[in-house]
Amino acid sequence: MHGIHISASILAADWSNLGQAVREAEVAGADSIHIDIMDGHYVHNLTLGIKTIPCLKPHTTLPLIVHLEISNPDSFIADFAEVGSNMIVVQEDTCPDLAATIEKIHGYGIQAGVAVNPDRPLDTVIDFLDRIDLLLLMSVFPGFGGQQLLTWVLPKVEEARKRADALKTPPFIGLDGGINQRTIQACVNAGADFLAIGTAIYGGGSVKDNIRILRCLSMTP
Ligand code: DX5
Ligand code: ZN
């Protein structure tokens, strides 16, 4: 039944009831919860914080994936690890020493992901594919949900897929941004096996139907 990892991005959910948002995602068969943390500096938006993680924990058994869209993520890794994050994803262009950052995250016994903006090449991350759990290719410029998927990122997914498949234990190759019922098949066909999805899950209609349809589309070639 499962194939593609679907991570429900609560950026698009009703923030007055995030507990319900993650419960609904779990019941509907999402594989993880995606939590975008923005600092008003790396991106021009402010979102959730450290406290969000322990607040959500009692509501779901799904892994909580923290996507740090912030400057200087190194200074917040300890905080997010200690409150129970299951994976921390950093933006590669915010890490002066990416190897050390990955090691630091793994040092807390949790998974490490690295995100790459649409206009950035794979060069800085390619050597780290064998030691990360997720390569998250941004299919929108970070900062906001509800943007259109930039299809010109898809060849980068194909390239990353090839490089990952050459490894004994490949990381997930993920996409984040603009994934919906119309775009999901192109994402999967390009080689993505992890999708962070916000608006198409929480932006209207029932979370259950939305995830069911997305799951179904992700399985049809
Ligand atoms: C963008 C965030 C995404 C966002 C995706 O900065 O990293 O995770 O929630 O939202 P949609 O699915 O609405 O593009
Ligand atoms: Zn994200």
Side-chain angles (χ1 to χ4, degrees), residues 4 6-7 12 139-140 145-151 154 175-189 194-204 209-220:
I4 301 296
I6 294 181
S7 193
S139 34
V140 298
Q147 304 182 70
Q148 273 204 358
L149 179 126
L150 301 166
T151 50
L154 295 179
L175 275 171
D176 184 8
I179 302 157
N180 56 39
Q181 292 180 20
R182 285 179 308 283
T183 58
I184 190 167
Q185 282 168 327
C187 299
V188 174
N189 290 340
F194 175 109
L195 304 171
I197 308 179
T199 305
I201 289 177
Y202 291 115
D209 287 347
N210 291 343
I211 291 182
R212 186 179 51 78
I213 294 165
L214 288 163
R215 170 81 63 203
C216 202
L217 288 168
S218 77
M219 293 191 293
T220 20

Side-chain angles (χ1 to χ4, degrees), residues 130 163-171:
D130 59 351
R163 301 294 288 254
D165 283 348
L167 300 171
K168 217 165 81 190
T169 46

